[in-house]
């Protein structure tokens, strides 16, 4: 069985940036339709992922992502400005996708630039695959890449585990 992959802009191609992390879970008993609403509505993130806070949409009143949505949030201690770059809701036989370009303004020592992408796809046997990957550029990314344990890998695993638990609690 072929599994789908994240679509990367060339500048953020894994292995060419200052930091890259990839986390994935495959779980039985959930579908893309169970996961999507929890990920597509960032105001729900803090209910299952403690490392996200202060979510704001540039267009006040909007609560879910759509193409080119601009938003802000805090994660890993960084205030992040972000814009949705890929938004593909679930459809039969195709993976759902969300990706955003995020950045933290600053000088050469504090500026951070990332692409964070998600792929959610239904698999045979009543399983769902949730893949999240992030590719980062900047000195803060270099610092994160050398920390042990890796805070990005551990943080994103917490996000995945919380997302799955939240989806299960809504069944």
């Amino acid at each position: 069985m072929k599994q789908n992959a994240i679509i990367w802009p060339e500048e953020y191609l894994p292995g060419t940036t200052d930091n890259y992390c990839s986390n994935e879970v495959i779980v039985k008993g959930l579908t893309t339709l169970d996961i999507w609403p929890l990920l597509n509505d960032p105001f729900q993130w803090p209910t299952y992922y403690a490392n996200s806070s202060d979510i704001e949409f540039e267009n006040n009143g909007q609560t879910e992502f759509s193409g080119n949505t601009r938003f802000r949030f805090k994660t890993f201690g960084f205030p992040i400005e972000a814009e949705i770059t890929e938004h593909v809701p679930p459809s039969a036989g195709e993976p759902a996708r969300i990706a955003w370009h995020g950045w933290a303004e600053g000088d050469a020592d504090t500026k951070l630039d990332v692409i964070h992408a998600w792929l959610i796809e239904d698999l045979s046997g009543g399983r769902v695959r949730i893949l999240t990957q992030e590719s980062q550029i900047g000195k803060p990314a270099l610092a994160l890449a050398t920390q042990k344990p890796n805070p990005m890998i551990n943080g994103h695993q917490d996000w995945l585990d919380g997302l799955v638990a939240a989806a299960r609690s809504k069944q």
Side-chain angles (χ1 to χ4, degrees), residues 59-81:
N59 174 6
N60 289 335
Q62 187 175 357
T63 60
E64 293 183 347
F65 291 136
S66 59
N68 300 322
T69 300
R70 290 285 305 263
F71 67 107
R72 294 172 198 80
F73 68 108
K74 287 185 181 172
T75 188
F76 290 97
F78 295 99
I80 301 293
E81 296 281 332

Side-chain angles (χ1 to χ4, degrees), residues 23-46:
N23 295 70
E24 175 181 46
V25 295
I26 298 175
V27 297
K28 191 169 185 167
L30 292 172
T31 68
T32 301
L33 293 175
D34 296 318
I35 301 300
W36 180 262
L38 294 164
L39 191 57
N40 194 52
D41 176 355
F43 294 98
Q44 291 193 52
W45 297 352

